[in-house]
Amino acid sequence: MKPKKVTIIGGGIAGMTAAWELAESGVTVDLIEKSGFLGGHAIQYTCKATSECLNCGACSVEKMLKNVVENDNITVHLSTEIEEIGKASPFSVKIKKSAVFIDGAKCTNCGICFDKLKDTGLIIRGYSKNNLPLFAINPDKLADNPNSLKEICPEGAIVVNAAPAVSKLTADAVIVATGFTPFNAARKGTYGYGRFPNVINGLDMERIKRQNGFLARPSDGAPAKKIAFIQCVGSRDENLGNLWCSQVCCPYALRSAESLKHKNPDLEITVFYMDIQNTGKSFPVFYESCKNDIRFIRSIPVDIFPEENGDLRMRLFDETQGSPEMETFDVVVLSTGIMPNTENKKLSGQMGIILDADGFFAFADDLNKTATAKGGIFIAGTAQGPKTIADSMTQAGQAAAGALKYLGVTK
Amino acid sequence: MTTDVLVIGGGAAAVQAANRLSTAEYPVTLAGPGQQQTAGKGVEVIAGATVIDVTGMPGDFTVKLASQGKAVTKKAGVIVVASELAVTPLLGAYGLTAGETVLSLSGFEALISDDAKRGKVLSGEKTVAFLAGFAQEGNPLLMKRILTCVDHLTGVTGCTAYVYINNIKVADDGLERLYKKGRDKGATYFKLQQAPSVSQDGNNLSITFHDPVLRSDIELSPDIIVCEESLTADPTHPALAKALRIDLGPMGFLQKENVHRLPVGSNREGIFVVGPGRDVENLTKSRADIDNMLLRVRALIGDGSLSVTAKAVVDRDKCVTCLTCYRCCPHGAITWDNKAIISPVACQGCGICASECPMDAIQLADFTDAEMMDRVKAAANAAGAPKIVAFCCRNSAYEAGMMAAAFNYELPKGLQMIKVPCAGKVDIQYILNALAVVDGVLVLACHTGNCKSEVGNTYAKWRVNDAYRKLEMVGIKKERLVFATLASNMAADFARIAKDMENIVREL
């Protein structure tokens, strides 16, 4: 029997997990990833361990990425987008590879391009050693004359084509694992994200920690001493019409705070929140230990005022005090929420599947959120709604199991 | 071997698991307390069953059950635990006693689903107060039930809902929307850090809390109080864990919070945990677990055979059946006849047993002691100084080290990594031999709680401490030996630990 073929749209943790599960069952998988790297948002997160593992799941992403690149049944298409896709099985899938990319066959991962173009941000360094090439072109920073890029690489690994290369695939089933778009914190103007250098979001913090091993203030590189986390930035926000909890930001902030505090016990950390969400089954115990290390204030600050030295002044309202006060922090971390991927609309139109009221892909079965109303199309991960790494992996396994059944590989 | 699957549990998740396995054409037995009559046709049901003992290995377990006073023995290739949550009213925590006007959440749910009673109890502009999040942290499952009750109540003519709550657990699909819907329909939420004071005097109920903004006490006299209840792990889990020889996790669930176990694994191959067996889960999440379990079952026994290669081998001439290996194996992979036997299916190849065996009777296929010693020697002869050997767990530190090299982090010139299957395979002999020929030794393990073999990192730490005592005796500076924990993505930390070691041995 000819092996069944599945196209998976999105190479984040959900897409990778679904791909690996299918491949392990003998299915041939095309894994389509728009960016130059596998792993999506999840691979960008650093380990949150203190003296013990806090179960953030970041290392599971690393492991799954390795599984995927080592599996011969999976073809990974990086820097590739869906151009057209059919509405029924067998699906015809037209994919479009970016005109400018780094050719993995030629790249020696020397990093010369990255070093030479460091100031331009044109070359991004990846997050996993298992994702080759280690470097990718940043499409957002692509210059008017990409041809000049060619000369940067001594191996001639930077490919600059006149137009994207389009190729055709077929698929017996499709899994939509397109992930999410992080909330653009600049939309909350009073926080000054993008204007005040020391107001950052979680992904910014990850980048800084990865580079320095500690949280350095973007304005002057000094180690942060007094940090505020503001929760629910973009999530649970009636004014924005975002009526959902992003589910990952409380675990993220609490684990990050504990991990930062473990490395530097002198740090002062305050978490501003509406309601603290659980992190896992040991949450009651973990939360109690967090309360010893972190100050929790149940109110979301509205304004941030920058000081000349880069400090950030906030009006905060500690309900246990009964009146507002001003307080100064060196770094404010905005826990920006999980928003539906901005391209969900386009893809849902192309495939003839619907989105829910919030803009995530709608599921057709309350007991199985990977099922769509159309046979052969499955959804997994944050494409369906906010989810942790662990939950995305579980759902991806379910989507793979659903696809295997649909394809007749299993009963 | 057998492809029979034994599902342990009595509720909806267990029935769902059994039916799904049965659809996939596995012969299924469902054993446990409760309502298994809803199980599908192909499922054999053993009602009122308790697991007494499990012997054998994946593909060939023998399970002794007690069912209604009788002993039953079942063969199973795979065991799936799908228990139910235990529901306990928490009225006592608020000083309340159940009555006509004071109900647990389940009691109130029963009331509003009963048309006749509902009309009687809720007619006449009743005020209903909910109490939640003060006797426990709560979770989205419980929250959804409260929000659904509030939603229902606000639809009843004239009724008013007040919710006294700590953290509103909205981390699941649709809950924030449901929360808003209730408020839009007039429900009032008081979010408090401390439990309000509650009094119950016959049918006279009163709830008071201090408002820090108004700086005054706010008192309400509701007609009805609905009190939260706890959703916890099945209280039979500790006994079940013992019978199955699997680890008991936090809060009494049958899965440790170790990412290597996710989603449905236990520390023993062939024993899976789904739904409320592993966490506070609703049927939707349980169903996702069940589908994942099906993938694992298929991978293990799918085509009716077990294909495995022996990862660890016992030299039966050397074995004195002291059972050290049996006791230290974190995967329950070891049994014995007159000598120790390692199940190639259950064995995860961590090598803890090989390192602990006092007779050196166990060798790992890919990491024999002779090979490891050769690697130490090779490291001593490699270029670069000072010479540092890093024993690196392949699941974490080895990956981190390779990542550090790939990303051009500065590493000591004389650093040699030696890959081990688990830090639990770093024999004290490796450490001492290495210290005899190189300047510094690193033993790099996974973080506590992240060891794929659960305790390999603990064994490694013990051995390093043991080595310190021995080094002291022979006058070798203990600074030359360092134990540290890492994750696979911690390249920068790997580089820092290695450089620190280099600096230390330079100074010595």
Side-chain angles (χ1 to χ4, degrees):
Chain A
M1 198 174 74
K2 234 173 90 180
K4 297 288 182 181
K5 285 167 83 173
V6 174
T7 289
I8 298 179
I9 310 173
I13 183 59
M16 293 197 305
T17 307
W20 181 75
E21 290 286 7
L22 288 167
E24 287 287 293
S25 286
V27 171
T28 308
V29 178
D30 284 295
L31 183 56
I32 316 294
E33 169 54 41
K34 190 171 77 172
S35 82
F37 307 109
L38 285 174
H41 292 101
I43 194 74
Q44 302 178 35
Y45 287 91
T46 56
C47 172
K48 299 290 176 289
T50 56
S51 61
E52 54 189 78
C53 171
L54 296 185
N55 316 301
C56 70
C59 60
S60 311
V61 184
E62 185 68 44
K63 188 172 137 200
M64 189 52 76
L65 195 152
K66 191 169 189 233
N67 287 346
V68 165
V69 298
E70 286 176 354
N71 195 306
D72 293 339
N73 283 345
I74 303 170
T75 307
V76 177
H77 304 264
L78 294 175
S79 306
T80 302
E81 291 184 69
I82 299 289
E83 174 89 337
E84 282 171 33
I85 186 159
K87 287 184 164 69
S89 180
F91 298 88
S92 66
V93 187
K94 208 184 258 182
I95 55 170
K96 184 176 80 177
K97 171 108 181 166
S98 165
V100 184
F101 63 94
I102 298 175
D103 182 355
K106 289 186 184 162
C107 174
T108 62
N109 302 299
C110 65
I112 287 176
C113 59
F114 180 74
D115 291 338
K116 276 192 184 165
L117 297 170
K118 206 158 207 169
D119 299 332
T120 65
L122 242 166
I123 307 289
I124 320 169
R125 185 160 72 176
Y127 308 93
S128 167
K129 72 166 168 61
N130 297 305
N131 189 127
L132 298 177
L134 290 175
F135 303 92
I137 312 278
N138 183 352
D140 301 334
K141 296 274 167 80
L142 209 52
D144 296 335
N145 176 19
N147 274 314
S148 62
L149 267 174
K150 281 189 191 167
E151 290 135 35
I152 301 287
C153 177
E155 308 293 330
I158 300 182
V159 178
V160 181
N161 291 331
V166 175
S167 51
K168 275 185 183 170
L169 308 168
T170 55
D172 301 301
V174 174
I175 295 178
V176 178
T178 45
F180 67 97
T181 300
F183 179 73
N184 175 11
R187 285 182 64 196
K188 301 282 258 184
T190 55
Y191 289 155
Y193 181 78
R195 290 183 290 128
F196 312 152
N198 296 332
V199 176
I200 59 176
N201 66 24
L203 279 175
D204 297 330
M205 179 162 81
E206 293 302 305
R207 215 159 17 240
I208 296 166
K209 276 169 65 185
R210 200 176 275 270
Q211 235 162 56
N212 304 283
F214 63 94
L215 178 53
R217 294 215 313 178
S219 67
D220 53 14
K225 294 194 186 86
K226 194 171 172 193
I227 305 167
F229 284 85
I230 300 180
Q231 299 305 102
C232 297
V233 178
S235 329
R236 304 189 65 193
D237 189 323
E238 279 190 53
N239 295 329
L240 294 168
N242 295 345
L243 290 175
W244 63 87
C245 162
S246 290
Q247 302 187 27
V248 298
C249 336
C250 283
Y252 176 75
L254 264 53
R255 287 175 177 139
S256 293
E258 285 289 277
S259 166
L260 287 164
K261 188 94 181 167
H262 173 73
K263 287 196 171 164
N264 178 7
D266 295 333
L267 273 183
E268 287 177 57
I269 302 178
T270 307
V271 174
F272 294 94
Y273 73 102
M274 289 199 262
D275 298 288
I276 296 292
Q277 305 302 323
N278 298 3
T279 51
K281 53 192 161 232
S282 56
F283 177 72
V285 182
F286 177 62
Y287 189 27
E288 282 312 306
S289 74
C290 288
K291 284 178 187 166
N292 294 329
D293 301 330
I294 304 163
R295 178 171 63 156
F296 285 93
I297 296 184
R298 179 179 261 164
S299 80
I300 301 291
V302 178
D303 295 299
I304 297 177
F305 307 100
E307 303 269 6
E308 266 179 30
N309 64 358
D311 283 358
L312 301 158
R313 211 149 42 87
M314 278 199 292
R315 190 191 307 279
L316 56 94
F317 183 85
D318 185 345
E319 65 178 337
T320 58
Q321 300 304 315
S323 56
E325 283 166 50
M326 293 302 280
E327 201 169 309
T328 306
F329 297 87
D330 336 284
V331 170
V332 174
V333 184
L334 305 176
S335 286
T336 45
I338 286 180
M339 301 293 122
N341 191 320
T342 48
E343 292 174 25
N344 282 2
K345 247 189 197 140
K346 185 178 155 202
L347 191 59
S348 75
Q350 281 177 323
M351 301 196 74
I353 52 175
I354 55 169
L355 302 179
D356 65 18
D358 299 327
F360 296 99
F361 284 94
F363 51 86
D365 177 355
D366 274 340
L367 281 180
N368 181 353
K369 293 182 179 178
T370 68
T372 68
K374 292 190 102 176
I377 305 178
F378 301 86
I379 41 178
T382 51
Q384 180 268 309
K387 236 167 242 78
T388 60
I389 289 171
D391 284 348
S392 294
M393 293 177 81
T394 309
Q395 203 181 42
Q398 185 174 32
L404 287 172
K405 195 170 178 219
Y406 172 80
L407 297 172
V409 177
T410 59
K411 293 253 166 79
Chain B
M1 70 154 290
T2 170
T3 57
D4 284 24
V5 180
L6 176 70
V7 178
I8 300 168
V15 169
Q16 213 179 27
N19 288 348
R20 184 66 194 89
L21 283 158
S22 180
T23 309
E25 297 180 348
Y26 292 97
V28 184
T29 305
L30 177 56
Q35 10 132 341
Q36 298 109 337
Q37 58 271 26
T38 53
K41 265 188 187 162
V43 178
E44 183 196 348
V45 174
I46 304 177
T50 316
V51 180
I52 304 299
D53 180 39
V54 176
T55 53
M57 287 293 150
D60 188 25
F61 288 115
T62 304
V63 187
K64 280 188 195 134
L65 300 151
S67 167
Q68 297 163 337
K70 277 188 288 186
V72 183
T73 301
K74 284 302 296 182
K75 281 277 185 190
V78 162
I79 298 169
V80 178
V81 184
S83 354
E84 280 304 285
L85 293 169
V87 182
T88 315
L90 294 172
L91 291 157
Y94 294 88
L96 294 166
T97 314
E100 238 172 69
T101 55
V102 174
L103 302 158
S104 71
L105 187 58
S106 295
F108 188 72
E109 285 166 336
L111 174 74
I112 56 178
S113 59
D114 182 327
D115 287 345
K117 275 194 190 160
R118 184 182 53 213
K120 205 175 111 206
V121 180
L122 293 179
S123 66
E125 303 188 358
K126 291 285 164 63
T127 304
V128 182
F130 293 81
L131 295 167
F134 303 108
Q136 61 173 357
E137 245 324 298
N139 52 62
L141 244 73
L142 190 73
M143 198 66 233
K144 186 173 183 178
R145 290 172 53 198
I146 294 169
L147 293 171
T148 306
C149 284
V150 169
D151 181 47
H152 187 96
L153 193 66
T154 46
V156 176
T157 326
C159 282
T160 317
Y162 291 91
V163 184
Y164 297 80
I165 192 161
N166 194 340
N167 285 311
I168 299 191
K169 304 288 182 178
V170 284
D172 201 359
D173 291 346
L175 297 194
E176 179 70 19
R177 208 169 265 281
L178 197 54
Y179 172 44
K180 181 177 186 298
K181 194 178 161 203
R183 280 177 296 145
D184 286 350
K185 290 202 308 197
T188 304
Y189 283 78
F190 297 116
K191 294 211 285 182
L192 313 173
Q193 309 268 23
Q194 306 289 331
S197 61
V198 183
S199 77
Q200 176 184 18
D201 175 14
N203 280 347
N204 291 329
L205 305 172
S206 158
I207 302 175
T208 310
F209 71 93
H210 183 77
D211 187 315
V213 182
L214 300 174
R215 294 177 192 189
S216 67
D217 285 347
I218 297 190
E219 188 183 353
L220 178 84
S221 302
D223 299 306
I224 295 167
I225 290 180
V226 181
C227 185
E228 66 177 322
E229 50 198 23
S230 67
L231 304 175
T232 48
D234 184 326
T236 66
H237 276 176
L240 188 56
K242 216 172 163 190
L244 296 173
R245 285 173 65 202
I246 60 172
D247 292 334
L248 191 62
M251 315 310 282
F253 289 99
L254 287 173
Q255 187 187 50
K256 287 223 165 168
E257 231 161 1
N258 180 335
V259 294
H260 295 287
R261 303 287 168 259
L262 295 174
V264 294
S266 72
N267 53 305
R268 288 192 76 186
E269 181 59 286
I271 302 182
F272 302 101
V273 199
V274 301
R278 71 176 189 108
D279 205 345
V280 180
E281 290 193 356
N282 59 16
L283 266 185
T284 305
K285 289 203 167 171
S286 298
R287 170 68 192 274
D289 283 0
I290 289 164
D291 284 345
N292 277 274
M293 173 269 290
L294 207 61
L295 292 171
R296 298 281 76 79
V297 171
R298 184 168 181 270
L300 187 67
I301 57 165
D303 57 359
S305 69
L306 297 159
S307 75
V308 280
T309 46
K311 298 170 203 85
V313 181
V314 180
D315 182 335
R316 292 178 71 89
D317 291 334
K318 285 186 181 170
C319 176
V320 296
T321 330
C322 67
L323 303 186
T324 301
C325 54
Y326 167 78
R327 281 187 286 268
C328 71
C329 176
H331 303 292
I334 302 181
T335 52
W336 67 93
D337 44 17
N338 60 340
K339 302 281 175 172
I341 301 167
I342 300 175
S343 157
V345 188
C347 175
Q348 303 296 306
C350 65
I352 294 174
C353 59
S355 290
E356 287 299 302
C357 175
M359 303 308 291
D360 286 332
I362 304 172
Q363 292 292 326
L364 292 196
D366 296 334
F367 300 88
T368 64
D369 288 333
E371 279 166 349
M372 297 304 288
M373 294 304 186
D374 285 348
R375 277 171 217 165
V376 170
K377 261 185 237 156
N381 295 328
K387 292 190 194 307
I388 298 165
V389 159
F391 292 103
C392 298
C393 167
R394 67 176 163 193
N395 298 311
S396 56
Y398 188 75
E399 289 292 309
M402 296 298 281
M403 185 175 179
F407 284 113
N408 292 326
Y409 282 91
E410 198 192 339
L411 294 168
K413 299 270 181 294
L415 174 74
Q416 295 293 324
M417 289 200 286
I418 297 183
K419 180 159 82 170
V420 288
C422 167
K425 181 66 197 96
V426 181
D427 290 25
I428 187 160
Q429 213 50 52
Y430 300 175
I431 298 173
L432 298 175
N433 279 22
L435 277 170
V437 289
V438 300
D439 303 300
V441 169
L442 292 166
V443 176
L444 302 177
C446 301
H447 294 298
T448 305
N450 192 272
C451 174
K452 196 177 173 191
S453 293
E454 215 61 63
V455 290
N457 46 8
T458 311
Y459 276 100
K461 181 98 191 271
W462 285 342
R463 297 204 196 107
V464 167
N465 286 336
D466 197 11
Y468 283 144
R469 283 188 286 274
K470 293 195 161 72
L471 293 180
E472 211 173 354
M473 287 191 279
V474 294
I476 293 178
K477 286 231 161 70
K478 62 182 279 191
E479 287 79 3
R480 289 173 51 194
L481 172 63
V482 166
F483 172 87
T485 57
L486 282 170
S488 59
N489 54 3
M490 291 176 77
D493 298 77
F494 180 96
R496 179 183 48 76
I497 290 165
K499 286 302 277 182
D500 286 353
M501 182 88 235
E502 185 183 42
N503 292 333
I504 289 168
V505 295
R506 276 231 171 93
E507 276 172 30
L508 288 174

